[in-house]
Amino acid sequence: MSSNEPATEIPKAYDPHGVEPEVTRRWLEAKIGAATPLANGETGDTYSIVIPPPNITGALHLGHALNNTLQDVLIRYHRMKGDRTLWMPGTDHAGIATQTVVEKRLLAEGTRRLDMGREAFVERTQQWKSDYEAIITGQLRELGASCDWDRTRFTLDEMCATAVRHAFYHLFKDNLVYRGKRLVNWDPVTQTALADDEVEMENVDGHMWYLRYPLADGSGHVTVATTRPETMLGDTAVAVNPTDPRAAALRGRHVRLPIVDRLIPIVEDDYVVMADPDSSDAKAQFASGFLKVTPAHDPNDWDIGVRHDLAVINVMAADASISDQHGWEDISDEARQFVGMSREEAREAIVAWFEANDLLEEVRDYSHSVGHSYRSHVPIEPWQSDQWFVAVTDDRLRGNALRAQDASQVPELPEGVNARGDQQGDGEMVFHPERYARTYHAWHANIRDWCISRQLWWGHQIPVWSRRLHPDILDAVALAALDGVGLDEARQIEGVWSAAGAVHTVRRITDDEIEEAVCVPPDATLRRLDRVDASFDEPGLVKALEAAGFERDPDVLDTWFSSGLWPLSTMGWPYPEDFPDSIGLLESFNPTSVLITGRDIITLWVSRMTMFNRYFMDGQLAFEDVFINTLIQDGHGQRMSKSLGNGLDPRDVIHTHGADALRFTLVQMSTDTQDVRMPVELICPHTGEVFAPEWITTPAGHLVAAPIQHSPSDPSKTMLSPYGVAIGAAEPTDDVPLARLTSPKFDLGRNFANKVWNATRFALGRVEVGQLPEVVDETVHLFPDRWILARLHETLARVEDAIENYHYNVYADALYDFIWRDVCDRYLEAIKPTVDGNAAQQAVLAAVLDAVLRILHPVAPFVTEALWTNVSAVRRGEVEGLELPSSDLLALAAWPVVNDSLADPGVVEAFERVDQLVGSIRAVRSERNVKPKQQVILHAPITVRELIATASGTVETLAGVGEVLEMEGAERPAAASSLTFEGSELWLSGLAEEIDLDAERSRLQKIIDAKSKQVSGFEGKLGNPGYVNNAKPELVEETRRLLAATKEDLTAAETAMAALAP
RNA sequence: GGGCGUUUAACUCAGUUGGCUAGAGUGUCUCCCUUACAAGGAGAAAGUCGGGGGUUCGAGUCCCUCAACGCCCA
């Protein structure tokens, strides 16, 4: 059988598109990601990751590609290591974000959410979800993500919904969920509360108005400065800084609020900025020193109100118009004229009123930042409304989140938090990189209760039914429970609903209104409750409640509530037996091994998962490690975003470079810094050329690709940049098409994949199938074989250490160095003359290649899997010290084991000397323009000839040396070049016809200069008594040795130079 | 306003507790289409490690300070 046949079957260049779909098909067919939980009583190592569920709002971007590649590397590594692995895939319903994109789509179609109704809208959104879930999971598969696809979850699916309902019920019962009036970020147009991160800060050119408030005793006035005069109707105090010189005189006095005629106190609070016209801080420049305090309409004022026990008077309706129907009871006749005005109209009218009454002191232009709704783009209104909250400030939640942290990363816990104890999970959560432990920790120090209700339709509807009653018709139990309890404080009571399994609370809304709220557990929970009245199932209970006049809360839960349960809900919690596929998952895979995510959601997500998992699972962590991946910016250090048109689509990169190239490059870029830059270039749609676009600066100061770009080789042809499309400059046409983005950084990964492909082609052509010995004993190895096995041993250790410590770039670099530099450039070249006919060497070659594919697989799964079939087909026999059990699929093959018996520091060191020598010879060859095929003659002293002999042909092969001659007593051949090596002068002859003496002299002079510089450096060090006395003795010894060696090199070069003298 | 990060070759980045002559990839230059790979091979040039100060025998690395850029939170 000819040894060259397999090579001819493999194409010359790696073609990712020809390979990836077939490889993916084989993985899916074999269900490589399928997780098998440990059976009862079974033991073994497990490894699990839950995917940060991508939002179904759109397709995955490059950041997702990075995040998921990093997870897949770990999963594939641990799978090969023999761990039971689970990578749980899924998507997030992303409440407000999804509802917004669907509403936008509806508007474009001419319908509105309110017109179609809740049910139809949810159905429509469900369709959107199906479309994007398919796109997203398709993208993940294209990327090579080896998730357990049969378990794909969705935060709104039945399993997750059960978990959400159960968790809510549990928290409600434990008094960790409550209803309260709070200031929320209110969007008066869409009439919903927004999360803080849904508020966009925008700079607004406005005014600072200076209003006079008369003192109650008529002795004068104070002047308050405000940007929002319309809210003065709700003022309940004026605040002054206690260190203000005017404060003492005003202590205990009151102000008569104009228009409203309300008597309000002057309070002292150090939040108030003191007036200072010379300050560099604009706030101080514009301050009057007196702050009007409106707790119902400003979050800072709310806090002041809490500190000073001030009244909260809400003067606005849900649409932000002035209203006396939402808690404003002391309205005056004068004030009545403003009721019904929009907040903008009211502002003008009130300013006019102050001016007309001679109470407007001054108006100044003032630019400040104002929160706007990211949905309607109007200024948000801090507005008091009824919302549901989770009491995350409770030690059962916050304390658990903080105690989870590794004590060496965060030694001190805040005051009021119990110390770490011996509860499971305490002190066991570790952040990588370490600095993010502080981010997590600091956030919890000032945490507030978590508002979890959202006025949306898309999400988990809050499972609470309520009704309001007059106290007169309330039963005795309820009345007794509320005895002595203030407004808005709920109390749990026992009654028919609780007998049936629900949690029943009452609270006083006003003096003559009581609210009853009933939290209904999911049916799965209800069935298992030990209850007095077990005649109700969940639908029956709901029916009974509604018959009694209860209505379900229309709001849905904040998306993060369901995401916070992700490591539990996806594994079937709380009742896996109801979902047979998930039996055993919690026991085997929770806590998960690591969470990989972005730093922007350490607070929103990481914290909540930790709180929930620990709370519901008796302290058990959601994950043991948290790895925060880098953020990819564009080439100018700007965040990639749709609006700047600078975001790369992973599908484009897979198309131009292949999935392995994408993965390898991303992993190679993953250092432990927080940002990395990815310079983007355009692909000309006319010619396919890649070019750097022409940049322009946007009004906001961003560097973006000009909307219209010119083809680099034919400027008459134009195209549209993604930025041009983003700002709507034009629609792409046939003449002016859209240019796609790419980055030259991915060339690295593509070239590397191709290199591996070709190295394998070479090797396969050299290994004679069926000729390999059963077992190759170490004693038969030639020098390069012993060396490459020793290097494999070193590389494996380095790779394992890198992966296990999340040093992704080290993993990629170690592979790149070993495969390209050692295996390809050195080993394959060195064995070319001997490998044919040497069965033992062929066995080593095949084994090394096999091991290379295994250790490369986690980062470059496609090319390695594609080659695996060929490599495992030819490999026969074993190399002693290497454990490489066979497997049909590489994805399911074992991670290689390289025994320490293959470590060989002596050979590694000898090879380094060989490398040095080869380098010097090659430099001379290049300098003298010696053709690659031409063999040269090396004249060397005995020590060097011994090294060459030890290396058994490696030097000759790599350096193109045909003959090695003794130097002792020999004449220097004419036209020879000199080189220096380890202090000796060596000659190279047989180079070319002629020698250029000038070039030769300048080459030698360069060596002399460099060596002289080094010599003086070493001498300087050794002449310094401080160094000789203080540095480690072995270091000083090493410097002495280097000095001596370098001096010898210098002498040799000088001798050579002298020989060239005319 | 608080916190964090970055600044090393033309570009993108490594450089682990201070210690061998500061590295890699891309790009540039020279040579080579050598039967694995031109997405390749061989060689070369290229750095006052952001500025200033300090600690030390010794600083890219530790400390202080200034500057620029970026991110997160408020």
Side-chain angles (χ1 to χ4, degrees):
Chain A
M1 177 183 270
S2 160
S3 67
N4 287 321
E5 260 177 30
T8 55
E9 293 167 8
I10 303 178
K12 202 168 167 182
Y14 174 53
D15 169 29
H17 308 112
V19 160
E20 289 172 5
E22 170 62 11
V23 168
T24 305
R25 194 193 59 74
R26 293 173 59 206
W27 287 337
L28 292 176
E29 195 179 278
K31 295 190 186 293
I32 60 166
T36 315
L38 296 168
N40 243 345
E42 199 180 357
T43 57
D45 288 333
T46 61
Y47 192 85
S48 59
I49 297 178
V50 287
I51 202 170
N55 290 350
I56 48 146
T57 44
L60 302 184
H61 53 64
L62 199 62
H64 291 116
L66 169 65
N67 177 257
N68 287 293
T69 296
L70 299 183
Q71 293 173 72
D72 196 47
V73 166
L74 295 179
I75 285 290
R76 285 184 184 268
Y77 170 73
H78 282 275
R79 184 181 296 127
M80 293 176 78
K81 274 271 184 178
D83 295 346
R84 301 272 179 115
T85 58
L86 166 66
W87 185 10
M88 180 73 75
T91 50
D92 193 308
H93 69 280
I96 192 165
T98 306
Q99 180 158 329
T100 303
V101 292
V102 173
E103 283 193 71
K104 259 189 201 155
R105 179 63 60 88
L106 287 176
L107 273 181
E109 292 167 7
T111 5
R112 284 175 38 211
R113 166 170 69 96
L114 292 164
D115 298 338
M116 62 198 298
R118 186 162 188 155
E119 207 169 306
F121 178 78
V122 168
E123 199 174 307
R124 172 65 195 257
T125 311
Q126 198 72 38
Q127 184 54 48
W128 172 282
K129 173 256 168 181
S130 304
D131 294 349
Y132 273 92
E133 181 185 60
I135 292 173
I136 288 165
T137 53
Q139 281 182 298
L140 287 172
R141 281 190 273 264
E142 276 183 57
L143 188 67
S146 58
C147 303
D148 188 350
W149 295 112
D150 291 341
R151 298 187 196 278
T152 306
R153 307 284 195 240
F154 176 53
T155 51
L156 277 183
D157 67 20
E158 198 196 341
M159 195 187 284
C160 293
T162 305
V164 164
R165 287 283 304 276
H166 181 81
F168 187 93
Y169 160 79
H170 206 313
L171 293 167
F172 193 97
K173 198 173 167 54
D174 296 348
N175 287 315
L176 287 168
V177 160
Y178 64 90
R179 195 149 211 233
K181 284 197 188 306
R182 282 298 165 93
L183 282 198
V184 293
N185 302 307
W186 187 255
D187 177 340
V189 172
T190 60
Q191 304 210 358
T192 183
L194 300 178
D196 289 343
D197 59 314
E198 291 159 351
V199 174
E200 292 173 345
M201 301 308 284
E202 286 177 30
N203 272 323
V204 168
D205 291 325
H207 302 280
M208 186 69 88
W209 285 275
Y210 295 83
L211 310 179
R212 288 182 177 154
Y213 285 8
L215 290 164
D217 57 14
S219 66
H221 67 263
V222 295
T223 301
V224 298
T226 181
T227 58
R228 302 210 51 204
E230 68 277 14
T231 64
M232 60 78 57
L233 300 171
D235 283 5
T236 55
V238 167
V240 63
N241 194 302
T243 60
D244 192 304
R246 298 166 293 186
L250 293 166
R251 192 161 299 147
R253 298 175 67 180
H254 287 73
V255 156
R256 176 75 59 185
L257 186 65
I259 303 179
V260 188
D261 202 33
R262 184 181 299 140
L263 199 63
I264 60 176
I266 295 173
V267 299
E268 293 174 47
D269 197 290
D270 58 15
Y271 170 76
V272 180
V273 177
M274 309 256 283
D276 178 3
D278 302 324
S279 169
S280 60
D281 179 13
K283 272 193 181 143
Q285 276 175 34
F286 281 83
S288 71
F290 293 100
L291 185 71
K292 62 189 270 310
V293 183
T294 325
H297 296 284
D298 183 285
N300 294 312
D301 293 8
W302 174 273
D303 290 342
I304 295 175
V306 168
R307 287 196 285 272
H308 299 277
D309 200 21
L310 300 175
V312 179
I313 297 176
N314 181 8
V315 297
M316 283 185 189
D319 63 356
S321 66
I322 302 300
S323 162
D324 61 350
Q325 300 298 307
H326 293 80
W328 183 11
E329 289 168 359
D330 65 347
I331 186 162
S332 64
D333 289 341
E334 187 68 26
R336 228 172 277 283
Q337 58 178 304
F338 301 102
V339 169
M341 287 184 183
S342 73
R343 52 184 172 167
E344 292 81 11
E345 291 164 352
R347 175 177 300 183
E348 275 187 37
I350 284 173
V351 169
W353 188 95
F354 271 83
E355 195 168 19
N357 288 276
D358 204 23
L359 291 172
L360 179 66
E361 187 166 296
E362 196 186 355
V363 183
R364 292 167 68 186
D365 290 341
Y366 182 64
S367 170
H368 60 130
S369 86
V370 176
H372 285 65
S373 164
Y374 96 110
R375 306 179 69 205
S376 64
H377 300 289
V378 301
I380 61 116
E381 191 62 50
W383 196 62
Q384 193 194 22
S385 66
D386 268 330
Q387 302 289 341
W388 290 99
F389 292 86
V390 174
V392 289
T393 46
D394 192 285
D395 193 69
R396 288 173 285 176
L397 296 174
R398 177 176 81 140
N400 260 335
L402 286 166
R403 282 189 291 278
Q405 289 201 272
D406 181 296
S408 71
Q409 292 197 333
V410 182
E412 300 285 329
L413 294 176
E415 213 165 306
V417 170
N418 297 331
R420 292 181 189 87
D422 48 13
Q423 188 184 25
Q424 64 166 328
D426 275 5
E428 287 170 11
M429 187 169 80
V430 180
F431 277 87
H432 304 266
E434 192 177 2
R435 62 175 174 279
Y436 294 112
R438 291 197 294 278
T439 306
Y440 176 93
H441 179 260
W443 184 72
H444 291 91
N446 306 310
I447 193 174
R448 295 190 198 192
D449 281 351
W450 172 23
C451 174
I452 49 166
S453 40
R454 294 287 183 275
Q455 291 67 47
L456 298 171
W457 286 353
W458 179 241
H460 294 278
Q461 193 171 352
I462 291 173
V464 176
W465 280 255
S466 59
R467 64 177 180 186
R468 291 188 177 189
L469 303 169
H470 195 274
D472 291 351
I473 57 168
L474 210 62
D475 67 48
V477 177
L479 279 176
L482 283 173
D483 191 32
V485 174
L487 289 182
D488 276 334
E489 258 188 88
R491 286 287 187 272
Q492 288 187 22
I493 59 169
E494 298 297 327
V496 288
W497 307 117
S498 50
V503 184
H504 189 179
T505 66
V506 289
R507 66 167 179 151
R508 200 182 290 278
I509 306 294
T510 63
D511 286 342
D512 33 66
E513 200 174 24
I514 307 286
E515 185 190 69
E516 285 183 276
V518 175
C519 176
V520 178
D523 203 53
T525 308
L526 196 64
R527 287 199 312 270
R528 292 167 169 89
L529 288 177
D530 182 19
R531 50 198 168 127
V532 180
D533 176 3
S535 62
F536 286 111
D537 60 2
E538 191 212 335
L541 186 52
V542 168
K543 217 172 180 180
L545 277 165
E546 288 176 351
F550 283 84
E551 281 180 26
R552 187 173 189 172
D553 193 307
D555 288 359
V556 300
L557 289 166
D558 180 13
T559 294
W560 296 107
F561 190 94
S562 53
S563 325
L565 292 164
W566 191 241
L568 293 171
S569 59
T570 54
M571 296 191 196
W573 180 86
Y575 306 115
E577 60 273 25
D578 287 358
F579 302 94
D581 286 354
S582 57
I583 291 170
L585 292 182
L586 283 167
E587 291 78 1
S588 296
F589 299 117
N590 184 295
T592 60
S593 307
V594 61
L595 176 79
I596 302 190
T597 190
R599 65 179 179 276
D600 47 338
I601 54 175
I602 290 174
T603 54
L604 295 174
W605 194 42
V606 180
S607 160
R608 280 141 190 191
M609 281 191 285
T610 309
M611 287 178 177
F612 280 167
N613 214 100
R614 297 204 73 193
Y615 185 68
F616 293 121
M617 296 286 283
D618 195 23
Q620 186 161 297
L621 294 177
F623 25 74
E624 286 153 349
D625 283 358
V626 180
F627 178 76
I628 301 298
N629 63 243
T630 55
L631 198 101
I632 303 173
Q633 302 174 331
D634 73 3
H636 305 110
Q638 306 167 131
R639 194 171 181 153
M640 286 184 172
S641 74
K642 270 188 191 150
S643 59
L644 294 181
N646 59 354
L648 286 176
D649 188 330
R651 287 172 293 192
D652 285 350
V653 179
I654 290 174
H655 185 255
T656 54
H657 290 79
D660 288 326
L662 171 65
R663 294 170 59 113
F664 188 84
T665 300
L666 290 173
V667 168
Q668 200 264 347
M669 289 174 76
S670 287
T671 63
D672 78 356
T673 59
Q674 60 182 17
D675 309 304
V676 288
R677 290 186 187 196
M678 174 78 72
V680 292
E681 297 190 343
L682 291 180
I683 307 167
C684 172
H686 302 288
T687 64
E689 290 166 283
V690 173
F691 66 101
E694 184 196 325
W695 303 103
I696 58 164
T697 307
T698 66
H702 294 110
L703 263 181
V704 296
I708 300 293
Q709 297 282 335
H710 297 268
S711 180
S713 55
D714 181 0
S716 70
K717 287 183 176 155
T718 59
M719 69 201 84
L720 211 49
S721 75
Y723 176 69
V725 174
I727 60 165
E731 288 292 315
T733 63
D734 288 348
D735 285 345
V736 187
L738 171 66
R740 297 190 162 233
L741 289 176
T742 187
S743 174
K745 294 213 72 159
F746 295 110
D747 293 354
L748 165 82
R750 181 197 55 186
N751 295 354
F752 186 50
N754 189 57
K755 189 73 180 177
V756 173
W757 182 264
N758 278 295
T760 308
R761 279 178 67 223
F762 166 80
L764 290 172
R766 296 306 174 104
V767 176
E768 296 168 76
V769 181
Q771 298 299 304
L772 301 189
E774 278 293 304
V775 173
V776 181
D777 187 272
E778 289 165 38
T779 56
V780 307
H781 295 323
L782 297 177
F783 178 78
D785 301 321
R786 296 213 313 270
W787 173 71
I788 200 68
L789 290 170
R791 281 288 296 133
L792 176 64
H793 178 267
E794 286 181 351
T795 301
L796 194 71
R798 198 170 164 219
V799 159
E800 290 175 354
D801 183 76
I803 295 178
E804 281 161 24
N805 291 293
Y806 309 105
H807 297 149
Y808 285 100
N809 64 315
V810 175
Y811 169 48
D813 287 343
L815 289 171
Y816 191 94
D817 277 355
F818 177 65
I819 295 172
W820 202 314
R821 302 273 84 94
D822 290 342
V823 174
C824 295
D825 291 349
R826 301 199 171 93
Y827 180 66
L828 295 185
E829 294 304 325
I831 65 169
K832 275 180 181 174
T834 52
V835 70
D836 289 333
N838 182 337
Q841 190 157 58
Q842 289 175 21
V844 173
L845 172 61
V848 166
L849 207 67
D850 175 304
V852 159
L853 294 183
R854 290 178 203 244
I855 62 176
L856 181 60
H857 182 75
V859 64
F862 290 101
V863 66
T864 50
E865 188 72 78
L867 290 167
W868 180 252
T869 320
N870 300 304
V871 171
S872 52
V874 302
R875 212 170 67 75
R876 299 286 186 278
E878 301 298 324
V879 172
E880 202 166 288
L882 268 180
E883 292 172 34
L884 303 164
S886 61
S887 165
D888 284 345
L889 276 176
L890 176 54
L892 298 175
W895 188 254
V897 175
V898 182
N899 293 347
D900 290 344
S901 63
L902 294 179
D904 197 336
V907 166
V908 171
E909 198 203 323
F911 199 96
E912 275 163 20
R913 294 174 63 205
V914 165
D915 213 37
Q916 206 58 43
L917 178 59
V918 168
S920 304
I921 297 170
R922 283 174 168 179
V924 173
R925 290 179 60 112
S926 179
E927 203 76 38
R928 296 284 303 266
N929 287 325
V930 178
K931 297 277 180 250
K933 277 182 179 166
Q934 189 179 339
Q935 302 269 292
V936 298
I937 301 161
L938 178 68
H939 307 255
I942 180 67
T943 50
V944 179
R945 293 204 307 278
E946 277 169 6
L947 176 66
I948 293 171
T950 304
S952 63
T954 304
V955 174
E956 292 90 326
T957 308
L958 295 183
V961 172
E963 210 176 346
V964 181
L965 297 178
E966 286 184 25
M967 234 179 148
E968 293 84 350
E971 275 292 297
R972 187 180 199 284
S977 272
S978 293
L979 55 137
T980 63
F981 175 70
E982 296 182 351
S984 308
E985 181 183 359
L986 275 53
W987 300 324
L988 220 50
S989 67
L991 301 167
E993 304 300 321
E994 302 199 2
I995 183 165
D996 178 343
L997 284 177
D998 283 341
E1000 196 68 5
R1001 277 192 206 96
S1002 82
R1003 186 175 64 81
L1004 283 169
Q1005 191 57 50
K1006 265 198 294 190
I1007 296 173
I1008 290 168
D1009 289 347
K1011 297 287 180 190
S1012 306
K1013 206 174 142 195
Q1014 288 168 18
V1015 165
S1016 55
F1018 294 136
E1019 281 176 340
K1021 267 192 175 178
L1022 291 168
N1024 178 351
Y1027 177 70
V1028 179
N1029 295 331
N1030 294 319
K1032 281 182 227 131
E1034 55 270 31
L1035 197 64
V1036 177
E1037 204 37 58
E1038 177 65 8
T1039 310
R1040 288 215 174 90
R1041 198 189 61 73
L1042 274 170
L1043 174 60
T1046 315
K1047 266 182 168 170
E1048 284 173 19
D1049 281 346
L1050 180 58
T1051 312
E1054 280 166 349
T1055 312
M1057 183 69 115
L1060 287 180

